[in-house]
Amino acid sequence: MLLVTLAFAEQAAAPADCAIAALSESIPADGATGVPVDIAPLLVFRGSCGVAAPYNLRVYLASDPITPVHEDVYDFAAFEPAGESWLLEADFGTLLPDTAYDIEMESEWGERVLLGFTTGSGTIDPVVGGVPGITLDYASQVAHGGGLYTTEVEVTVTSVGSGDGVYRIREDGFDRAVVLASGASDTVSLSWSSFEKQKEICVSVIERDGAGSWFGPSELSCVSVERSSGCSHTAPWLAGWLIVPLLGLRRRASGRRVS
């Protein structure tokens, strides 16, 4: 009998067909090149029914797919809930310059997720001081009956540094979404579900840099809510998911990539 431990976030609604969170995005990204040797890895799992744990993580040199150069086991306590995402600040061990790596994550259910990247010779340019910015460009709520609402927003996030960032969007004291944005500024659309009808939405943001440091929170940004009824653009059970294509991680039921 397989015993699986699930960690659950506070949910506004929990549909019967919700899915166990799966690895969807990573820092470094799958296929990335020129990765700083001191990067602080972050793995983002997305799903509305918690994350299955423990996970076994193995790091391989792409030139030697047999013997791992680093291994760790992460139980459910290592995953931090953020809306309907789960964040794992992983350890890939000491990375060599100009080297290709394969990362394998294996759950207790036997699924293996593979990603790979190549380091460069540089290191992280750390951020010193400052806070990220956020502008709430638009907010609406769609009523679904039974007191359930889908909130849809469009926000522009501004990095505390000069490059890509990981952002946790907060509203009403809760993390609502995790955003991996490109460049110094990026605009994204998000949605989440709640049982509260609101006249105004206010959001703030905190940002993680490549060295693993968090900055913020930002000042609040607020707008009046536009009201509508009927179907929303995003189904309620996808609350908190970023409405942009997710990075394509390779998944297999068993086995692993051999370079």
Side-chain angles (χ1 to χ4, degrees):
M1 177 178 178
L2 179 64
L3 176 63
V4 177
T5 303
L6 299 181
F8 289 91
E10 179 178 347
Q11 302 292 326
D17 60 348
C18 61
I20 301 296
L23 181 64
S24 66
E25 294 147 300
S26 64
I27 293 177
D30 185 29
T33 58
V35 172
V37 294
D38 58 346
I39 191 76
L42 179 71
L43 305 178
V44 181
F45 291 70
R46 298 188 189 269
S48 55
C49 277
V51 60
Y55 269 92
N56 296 315
L57 184 149
R58 303 179 186 93
V59 180
Y60 296 86
L61 295 175
S63 59
D64 179 7
I66 303 301
T67 306
V69 295
H70 185 81
E71 293 185 75
D72 269 314
V73 178
Y74 295 95
D75 63 17
F76 70 90
F79 293 80
E80 184 175 3
E84 290 193 6
S85 295
W86 299 80
L87 306 181
L88 176 62
E89 296 191 290
D91 181 6
F92 289 172
T94 301
L95 300 178
L96 301 174
D98 304 312
T99 302
Y101 287 92
D102 286 335
I103 310 300
E104 178 185 65
M105 290 209 57
E106 183 179 10
S107 76
E108 287 294 294
W109 287 4
E111 182 189 34
R112 288 181 172 90
V113 181
L114 307 176
L115 61 100
F117 61 88
T118 302
T119 59
S121 57
T123 56
I124 292 290
D125 185 13
V127 175
V128 180
V131 295
I134 188 168
T135 300
L136 181 53
D137 303 307
Y138 167 85
S140 69
Q141 277 193 321
V142 179
H144 296 279
L148 179 63
Y149 296 88
T150 294
T151 299
E152 298 184 344
V153 303
E154 184 176 277
V155 300
T156 299
V157 290
T158 304
S159 176
V160 68
S162 58
D164 300 350
V166 179
Y167 302 85
R168 293 166 68 162
I169 311 300
R170 294 180 164 179
E171 185 267 337
D172 195 28
F174 295 98
D175 283 342
R176 297 300 189 183
V178 174
V179 174
L180 276 69
S182 300
S185 181
D186 204 354
T187 300
V188 295
S189 297
L190 309 166
S191 74
W192 57 81
S193 294
S194 71
F195 290 106
E196 182 180 0
K197 182 178 180 180
Q198 297 168 278
K199 294 182 178 179
E200 182 182 58
I201 299 290
C202 294
V203 296
S204 63
V205 66
I206 62 172
E207 180 186 2
R208 183 185 189 270
D209 70 1
S213 297
W214 289 93
F215 297 85
S218 68
E219 297 290 334
L220 286 175
S221 180
C222 304
V223 297
S224 297
V225 173
E226 296 188 17
R227 194 75 52 195
S228 60
S229 61
C231 297
S232 70
H233 299 296
T234 303
W237 55 86
L238 294 181
W241 280 62
L242 177 63
I243 312 176
V244 296
L246 298 180
L247 300 180
L249 298 178
R250 298 176 290 281
R251 292 182 173 83
R252 301 179 184 175
S254 62
R256 50 180 252 94
R257 182 179 60 196
V258 176
S259 299

